[in-house]
Amino acid sequence: EVVPIGIKSNNQIDTLSVLTFINDSSSIGLIDANIYDRIKLNAKLFANDLKESPSIYSIGINYIQPPELAINYQVVNLDKDSVYQGDEISIQYSITNLGFYRSDSFTVKLDLIKPDKQQINLLDTLINNLNPSETILLNYTYKSNLNDGYGDMSFAIKLDTDNSVEEIYEDNNNFNSPFY
């Protein structure tokens, strides 16, 4: 008997239904990964009628990895690295789902980080979903002004700030692109 133990994100543990095996294989497709982000398998082994002990040579699990939203320096482009007061600077960037499962909707925010580290939100976009290997291209043109100051500034791109998409890695959801 193999009994899956479902573990929720708050570490609450639930004992789930015994798995049914056909040809040494069983589906765990009915275990909802949105409820149980981890599982353990508890195996109870029984000797046969000849009192021979069973043995397990290998065990494996095939699964579809969750969505993986990503942005980095390779997909962010500024049309210039310096801008005079009153002039415009354009940023173009793409977001890709590097995972193997379609993402839920998520927000993409573009902030201006001023020299005094104050942030101004320039763009807040809702992306309905992103299929595996799909890329979406976004761009924004910022007109510099006296109120925002001058000196070292940057654009901050932030993906899924509400954490609505379960991902393996979150550290590739933010990127800053500096300009003067």
Side-chain angles (χ1 to χ4, degrees), residues 34-165:
N34 290 321
I35 297 173
Y36 303 107
D37 61 354
R38 293 172 287 150
I39 62 168
K40 290 184 179 183
L41 299 177
N42 186 10
K44 294 179 185 178
L45 305 177
F46 302 98
N48 63 14
D49 293 337
L50 300 173
K51 304 292 184 203
E52 295 171 326
S53 295
S55 58
I56 297 176
Y57 293 103
S58 67
I59 190 167
I61 296 177
N62 295 325
Y63 67 97
I64 299 172
Q65 291 183 348
E68 185 57 47
L69 305 176
I71 189 165
N72 68 17
Y73 72 95
Q74 296 168 310
V75 297
V76 177
N77 183 41
L78 294 178
D79 67 343
K80 53 186 104 170
D81 62 3
S82 300
V83 62
Y84 289 107
Q85 286 288 336
D87 285 346
E88 295 179 344
I89 183 171
S90 294
I91 182 171
Q92 185 177 51
Y93 51 99
S94 61
I95 300 154
T96 303
N97 179 357
L98 299 174
F100 296 92
Y101 198 77
R102 180 177 164 177
S103 77
D104 290 333
S105 62
F106 62 94
T107 57
V108 177
K109 294 185 179 184
L110 177 67
D111 292 345
L112 174 71
I113 301 177
K114 298 177 8 173
D116 63 0
K117 305 303 180 208
Q118 235 183 348
Q119 294 188 30
I120 298 171
N121 182 258
L122 301 174
L123 188 65
D124 192 341
T125 304
L126 178 68
I127 307 298
N128 286 328
N129 56 57
L130 211 53
N131 290 317
S133 300
E134 185 179 6
T135 298
I136 187 166
L137 182 65
L138 299 170
N139 55 58
Y140 184 84
T141 300
Y142 166 73
K143 185 170 183 171
S144 67
N145 61 74
L146 192 58
N147 292 335
D148 291 343
Y150 58 91
D152 292 324
M153 303 176 110
S154 64
F155 291 116
I157 304 164
K158 302 170 186 176
L159 310 181
D160 192 30
T161 56
D162 301 328
N163 288 322
S164 59
V165 177

